[in-house]
Amino acid sequence: MGRPRIYFRADGSSTIGLGHVIRSLALAEMLGKQFQCTFLIQSPKPSLVNHIQGVVDSLVELPSSTDYLEEAKNLVDNHLSPGDIIILDGYGFNTACQQVYKAYGCKVACIDDLHTQHFVADVVINHAPGIKPIVYSKEDYTRLCLGLPYALLRPEFLQAAQHTRHFTTIDNLFICFGGADPINITGKILSNLQNLTRSFSAIHIVLGSANPHKKSLQTLGKEEKLPGLYFHENLSALEMRTLMKRCELAIVPASSLLFEIIAVKMPVISGYYIDNQKDVYAGFLEAGLIWGMGDLREITDYEPAFEQIEKVGLTHILEKQAKAGIGDSPQNLLNVFNTLNSGAVIHP
């Protein structure tokens, strides 16, 4: 008898970013040895196809559509079997969609960061720290997997989470706004850095595969004449981890990137620019793991944050991140899905 089947349903593009895909793939890597993993995605770019195929057993390309209810009906007719597990990561997979899969006999899990709908899924994962169960509308049987013990991290960052870091000065700055950065926060930061009174030995800017502003950013970098400015594109997880470990300070949004930074252990300036980042931001801020800037669309000066981080003390920040427990998620999540697959009662 083969491995039980799990289907991952998520989309990614230059418009919506790649966060849903990246964290779904992180979960697929955690579960892949014990489950047969298939990824379902609408009209992916070839570069994204290659990335997904490197992680899962198979990939199914779906036609572009915003009618997720009709899509759910087609998937149960043509791809799924009763008893399969389907994991939904996206804002269109509402209660009605979940009910289609449940009625067919599938076991349903949702990766969620907005808690704006009623869940009939068997499992809901929200790895943001500080989330309280009371914010969720759900069935009595729905298990909530909340907080950093369920962090959806890629293997390279789970490994980093097991190690400590020590440094006493900030020389290298890391900046990344994900796979897309649709409103070009990176460009705004670049313009702001030109006015700093302090300098960095190197400023490393990572551009994702779906970033539509690459040429304008590189032009801006030349115009601003920032010394030690380096652009990196389409980095693998290992390359990303290696680059992060070369740096002592990061500016990233409250997205999957923030979890990776905390795993690597680095002082970090963070904030949000879309609604689904607000809970993650609030949780990390309350836990004291980041220097919070609020709405990043409104920030015009980062220098006070640099100064405050150095005043707080790098050793204190690194020790606090090391105690966050962010690397414990693989076994926790494997236990959840083994229990779900076995048909045993999952207690909320």
Side-chain angles (χ1 to χ4, degrees), residues 25-69:
L25 288 176
L27 181 55
E29 294 216 50
M30 295 180 194
L31 304 178
K33 289 184 179 180
Q34 296 193 28
F35 292 87
Q36 180 180 325
C37 297
T38 298
F39 209 97
L40 308 164
I41 183 170
Q42 290 186 5
S43 305
K45 288 188 174 182
S47 59
L48 189 54
V49 168
N50 292 336
H51 181 55
I52 294 171
Q53 288 177 331
V55 175
V56 298
D57 297 287
S58 58
L59 179 147
V60 176
E61 296 187 32
L62 305 174
S64 296
S65 172
T66 57
D67 191 342
Y68 298 107
L69 185 59

Side-chain angles (χ1 to χ4, degrees), residues 321-333:
Q321 291 178 345
K323 294 176 182 177
I326 201 168
D328 300 332
S329 56
Q331 190 59 54
N332 293 337
L333 286 163

Side-chain angles (χ1 to χ4, degrees), residues 173-227:
L173 178 63
F174 175 94
I175 301 171
C176 182
F177 275 75
D181 189 12
I183 62 174
N184 200 18
I185 298 288
T186 304
K188 187 175 182 180
I189 294 173
L190 260 183
S191 296
N192 294 338
L193 291 179
Q194 179 68 18
N195 301 317
L196 291 181
T197 58
R198 68 156 295 160
S199 61
F200 295 93
S201 298
I203 300 172
H204 294 280
I205 295 178
V206 179
L207 304 177
S209 61
N211 191 310
H213 309 289
K214 293 178 183 178
K215 289 184 179 180
S216 65
L217 283 169
Q218 291 170 341
T219 300
L220 179 62
K222 292 177 182 177
E223 291 174 350
E224 298 291 356
K225 297 180 181 178
L226 288 166

Side-chain angles (χ1 to χ4, degrees), residues 235-308:
L235 298 186
S236 67
L238 180 58
E239 291 168 334
M240 182 77 94
R241 186 188 71 182
T242 300
L243 180 60
M244 287 179 181
K245 292 179 76 170
R246 288 169 54 191
C247 300
E248 298 86 26
L249 178 64
I251 304 175
V252 301
S255 64
S256 297
L257 277 163
L258 185 52
F259 292 82
E260 295 176 351
I261 291 289
I262 301 300
V264 169
K265 299 171 192 68
M266 191 189 331
V268 55
I269 296 167
S270 189
Y272 57 84
Y273 62 89
I274 51 178
D275 285 346
N276 71 335
Q277 296 172 349
K278 289 182 178 179
D279 277 352
V280 174
Y281 170 74
F284 275 106
L285 186 64
E286 183 180 359
L289 295 171
I290 64 172
W291 184 264
M293 299 289 281
D295 191 337
L296 294 173
R297 294 167 293 188
E298 300 176 357
I299 304 304
T300 58
D301 186 5
Y302 284 84
E303 190 151 40
F306 298 153
E307 294 172 353
Q308 288 299 318

Side-chain angles (χ1 to χ4, degrees), residues 125-131 145-152 259 329:
I125 302 168
N126 184 339
H127 60 178
I131 297 295
C145 300
L146 306 180
L148 295 180
Y150 300 97
L152 300 171
F259 292 82
S329 56

